[in-house]
Amino acid sequence: MGLLVDGVWRDQWYDTQSHGGRFERDAAKFRNWITPDGAPGPSGRGGFKAEPGRYHLYAAYFCPWAHRTLIFRELKGLAPLIDVSIVNWLMRENGITFAPADGVIGDPLFGARNLYEIYQAADPAYSGRVTVPTLWDKETKTIVSTESSEIIRMFNSAFDGVGAAAGDYYPPELRDEIDALNARIYPTVNNGVYRAGFATTQAAYEEAIGPLFETLDYLEALLAERRYLCGEQMTEADIRLLTTLLRFDIVYVGHFKCNVRRIADYPNLWAYVRDLYQTGTIANTFRPDHIKGHYYQSHLQINPTGIVSVGPSIDFSAPHDRARLGGSG
Ligand SMILES: N[C@@H](CCC(=O)N[C@@H](CS)C(=O)NCC(=O)O)C(=O)O
């Protein structure tokens, strides 16, 4: 676990001391966009035209942010267009690695052993965190983006003219609603579990736990009436929530102390997770062994023995009965 400083790897855990025990996530530094014609996107520079075979996605099964991109790659049928590497779940002194193991897909471009080598290839003087997902451009030999929320937007539409599957998960008429949901769910739920788990003071932990369960309670009520967060159509907001909910009972309840309630205690949220999990080929992207291995074995500050919990046993393929609320998933 560490970061690059002027292109040199340094093994170092997150600094919470200077923020009153709070975990504060660094903003992603590569923020370019793939667009249909290579014109610049909302941030960064242009020159990244959507073309089959041009881009490579470095992803992880363990990571909720990378998981979003893997799900979008499935939903949009992008596997034939965008190759993928899957990193090892263990994150220790060399950070994220390609150490061979079941489910790991190594780096075909550089034969890298560690993800930081990809960042050094993009910018030999890079300073900052080295994270998954990382989207690489083989043509200009640089990193396009390290921000999952933006990578899924690119995957949603940029490749539509070059062979992506149909489907718009950020349709114009729902954008305001999706943006509002994301604005609440990201800080309190997606990042909220990390703010609880990585807190190093009681106050910082409690500061995260309250809003986390308030939002889950709110979503539970919303999903009594609606099959998906925005109604009958599955959107980006659902996928962003799903990757956190899939990890909740298996790691966040125990490892991150998010144990006021389990997802299994919320009838609507729990059925909703099963519904989404059973949609299309989403289940192919879910590897609970990588997820549990990562959290319990990589965060030795929280779990110094590195022992991985055996339970709980959860059947995500059990019937969900959500089709009664409409929609087609
Ligand atoms: N803003 C990034 C966050 C990605 C992120 O933090 N990924 C974690 C794994 S779950 C990571 O790579 N951590 C390594 C580190 O922080 O050094 C995104 O959403 O794409």
Side-chain angles (χ1 to χ4, degrees):
M1 178 64 170
L3 73 176
L4 284 171
V5 179
D6 298 327
V8 178
W9 180 256
R10 185 185 291 172
D11 182 18
Q12 180 179 307
W13 186 251
Y14 297 115
D15 168 28
T16 57
Q17 297 309 330
S18 46
H19 317 290
R22 291 184 195 88
F23 166 65
E24 292 191 2
R25 190 176 291 280
D26 289 348
K29 295 202 170 157
F30 293 93
R31 306 291 286 270
N32 307 303
W33 290 69
I34 299 171
T35 56
D37 56 1
S43 57
R45 58 192 170 78
F48 302 103
K49 186 176 187 309
E51 292 173 85
R54 175 168 167 179
Y55 301 96
H56 189 82
L57 178 66
Y58 292 97
Y61 288 131
F62 70 77
C63 168
W65 321 104
H67 194 180
R68 301 166 163 183
T69 64
L70 290 174
I71 293 177
F72 265 81
R73 184 169 169 270
E74 292 288 323
L75 291 174
K76 292 292 299 184
L78 295 175
L81 282 67
I82 303 172
D83 281 344
V84 77
S85 290
I86 300 287
V87 299
N88 196 292
W89 60 87
L90 197 61
M91 199 167 80
R92 294 260 179 97
E93 65 279 5
N94 291 319
I96 295 171
T97 81
F98 298 98
D102 186 40
V104 172
I105 303 174
D107 169 32
L109 303 180
F110 302 93
R113 297 172 63 168
N114 305 302
L115 187 65
Y116 69 72
E117 294 164 41
I118 311 301
Y119 286 61
Q120 289 169 328
D123 175 4
Y126 174 78
S127 291
R129 303 216 71 87
V130 171
T131 54
V132 274
T134 293
L135 185 60
W136 179 265
D137 176 20
K138 297 181 211 173
E139 192 169 305
T140 61
K141 299 189 172 40
T142 196
I143 294 172
V144 180
S145 175
T146 53
E147 176 48 51
S148 63
S149 60
E150 295 169 2
I151 295 173
I152 63 175
R153 292 263 167 96
M154 300 172 210
F155 283 8
N156 181 55
S157 60
F159 293 86
D160 284 359
V162 290
D168 183 359
Y169 300 90
Y170 191 55
E173 67 279 10
L174 293 177
R175 286 186 185 173
D176 288 348
E177 202 175 347
I178 294 169
D179 291 345
L181 283 157
N182 291 343
R184 175 159 185 182
I185 294 170
Y186 171 75
T188 58
V189 180
N190 302 131
N191 201 38
V193 294
Y194 281 92
R195 287 170 51 233
F198 285 159
T200 54
T201 62
Q202 185 71 29
Y205 161 70
E206 289 183 20
E207 203 174 279
I209 286 291
L212 166 61
F213 284 92
E214 273 165 35
T215 298
L216 291 178
D217 293 349
Y218 162 77
L219 295 171
E220 172 69 6
L222 187 70
L223 292 167
E225 311 288 332
R226 295 172 169 212
R227 180 157 182 191
Y228 304 110
L229 293 176
C230 293
E232 295 195 1
Q233 192 180 341
M234 187 172 91
T235 69
E236 174 197 286
D238 297 296
I239 302 307
R240 289 176 42 136
L241 176 59
L242 173 66
T243 64
T244 299
L245 297 185
L246 282 168
R247 287 160 179 72
F248 205 93
D249 288 3
I250 59 177
V251 286
Y252 300 149
V253 168
H255 183 67
F256 278 175
K257 304 185 186 77
C258 297
N259 58 1
V260 176
R261 281 177 284 285
R262 302 170 307 161
I263 298 306
D265 299 320
Y266 288 105
N268 299 320
L269 271 172
W270 170 218
Y272 165 81
V273 174
R274 301 199 302 282
D275 186 5
L276 292 174
Y277 172 83
Q278 292 168 34
T279 300
T281 50
I282 287 181
N284 293 346
T285 62
F286 183 55
R287 285 285 301 244
D289 55 339
H290 280 226
I291 293 170
K292 288 174 73 169
H294 170 72
Y295 287 91
Y296 283 108
Q297 296 182 311
S298 303
H299 304 155
L300 299 181
Q301 282 76 357
I302 303 173
N303 185 38
T305 60
I307 290 172
V308 183
S309 76
V310 171
S313 158
I314 298 178
D315 183 7
F316 290 97
S317 44
H320 54 75
D321 194 30
R322 300 276 300 166
R324 70 192 146 78
L325 295 167
S328 61

